[in-house]
Amino acid sequence: MTTQLRGLAVLLRDQRALYAIGAAFVAIGLVATLSYPMLVKRLIDEGVLAGHMSRVNELALLLLGLLAAEGVATVVRDYYFNLAAERLTMRLRQSVFDHLLSQEIGFFDNRSVGELTTRLWDDVTVIGRVVGEPLGAAMRFALISALGMALLVYTSPALTLVLMLAVPPIAVVAWVLGGRVKTLSASTQQAYAEAGIVAEESLGGIRTVRAFSQEPAARARYREKLTAAVETARRRILANSARGGVSFVVGEAAALFGLWAGANLILQGRLTSGAVISFVLYGLLVARGLRRASEFWGEAVRGLGATQWIFEMLAREPRMAVGGGMRLARVEGAVTLDGVRFRYPTRPDADALAGIDLHVGPGEIVALVGRSGAGKSTILNLLLRFYDPDEGRISIDGHDARILDPAWLRSQIGVVLQEPVLFSGTIADNIRFGLAERSDAEVAAAAEVACAREFIERFPAGFATPIGTRGVQLSGGQRQRLAIARAVLRRPRILILDEATNALDSESEAFVHQALLALDYGPTTFIVAHRLSTVINIGRVLVLDRGQIIHSGRHDELLRTSPVYRQLIETQLAVR
Ligand code: ADP
């Protein structure tokens, strides 16, 4: 709670200029509001009761002027408060997003993208709703209550005492129900995030859902999650309304009681009727002020409940930094693994790698083969430093990878992962992917190596063809070829291909492989191979089984010496 408040305070301070202007207009509006009852009193006592028509007119005109001033002050106040809130939520959303981007890969293993995006959107919005207009209004009402109270005492101390009776009940109710509202709103946010997961999974996997005719099931799961969310929301709303209702009744009842007691005082001749009317008006202002301030407190508490996740997220230090560390002037591309053991953080009971020793010289090409789950992709994940080994070490040109700057290291590695991801933008943007300075000729040459140039140039817009929703739909093989072009354009010293060509037909696959193996500058290359045609030409094939390298050698040697390899050839590596 305190971290949340402190976090919120920092955000508010960032927007202090806008809030200061807003607050100034809160003050202006306040002067107008609090002057009314005073002027009404004088209008009655000095004008009506004294029988001065001109005084009545004067004071009525003054009241009209105050009304106009208050109107202007309200508009300006709301404008600045809402603008501040909008900017504040933008900053907050941006920093949560930045923070998510900098988390280590293991963080994303047990979180769904649907949950993260829903929270990034919803939780931040809830804060935004509190710190805009409502914050301005709350400030106003809190001040009205405080100043109104002073004016009440000034007008009639005895009556004020009567009115004060209403304060403790309101405070207690706000306190008790407020706590409940806060817990319930945190669970509501969580419930909506879970619904977000379902939506994201079903829409993200729409083809699978459709192919298995699982729309009704998806619908039912979504409805179930939403219903659960609405149920927690309902309880929150109930608590919130109860608080509003109780403070309304208690507050207004006190004002009525004040009216009754005031009437008595007039009849006893101890107060003027103008004073009583002005007192009742102040009393209503104070009651409304307290009520609105407590409503705001409810909203604020609800907002704070929703911020719990956000500030926890912002406080989370990534286990592995994205950047920072040593950079080598030149990379030869020698890669060594010494006794590397690794378990995924989400599966701490199973060895993904159970002791790997491997040296790959600069420019060498090795293929990794093995049954699914043998650990091939895991080796590549560790080379990319998506994770660090639990034991042993990985070194690049003799330097422990842990002391190297991870971002720099990754910039030396070109990678094509199993399922290439393309982003919105043109084909050329996707091949460049951050390397904006590369010329069109370089992009085209990279596409050539990946056997992608031909199909790209067949599109009317060529390399400028937009990808995704508005643009072309690409086949799996075409996406892979773009991903290969993306990796090649970077001319990385180390090239990683994880089943990078499995969606290509065997003819283009052979072409791509030839081109990759013949890259003029000879990068160290790791290929997760799945076809016999790939491994036949490779100098060293490593056979993995249950997280260990059990054999290594050329294809024909392995056929003789490794039963596991023979079996793989028969059953898993596609012979084409
Ligand atoms: P391969 O690439 O050879 O098919 P992997 O390296 O992907 O095998 O997997 C090795 C082992 O690690 C498997 O048992 C797999 O279930 C597990 N594994 C892979 N990725 C993850 C992950 N992100 N979280 C937890 N376990 C994983």
Side-chain angles (χ1 to χ4, degrees), residues 486-517:
R486 179 194 282 167
V488 168
L489 179 72
R490 306 180 122 65
R491 294 180 71 80
R493 285 307 317 167
I494 299 170
L495 190 59
I496 289 179
L497 306 169
D498 189 356
E499 313 210 353
T501 48
N502 60 0
L504 301 188
D505 57 82
S506 39
E507 194 188 349
S508 18
E509 179 176 36
F511 270 127
V512 173
H513 269 286
Q514 257 171 17
L516 287 174
L517 300 188

Side-chain angles (χ1 to χ4, degrees), residues 293-354:
S294 98
E295 268 166 24
F296 172 80
W297 181 238
E299 275 294 306
V301 157
R302 186 164 102 75
L304 275 181
T307 60
Q308 196 172 337
W309 178 84
I310 294 176
F311 289 109
E312 270 170 22
M313 186 64 242
L314 288 177
R316 186 182 194 279
E317 289 293 332
R319 304 255 156 76
M320 201 191 292
V322 174
M326 196 173 92
R327 300 176 169 207
L328 307 177
R330 218 185 111 66
V331 179
E332 299 295 334
V335 176
T336 311
L337 283 78
D338 277 322
V340 168
R341 301 180 80 91
F342 177 69
R343 295 173 173 203
Y344 282 94
T346 45
R347 282 190 58 197
D349 52 336
D351 276 331
L353 295 181

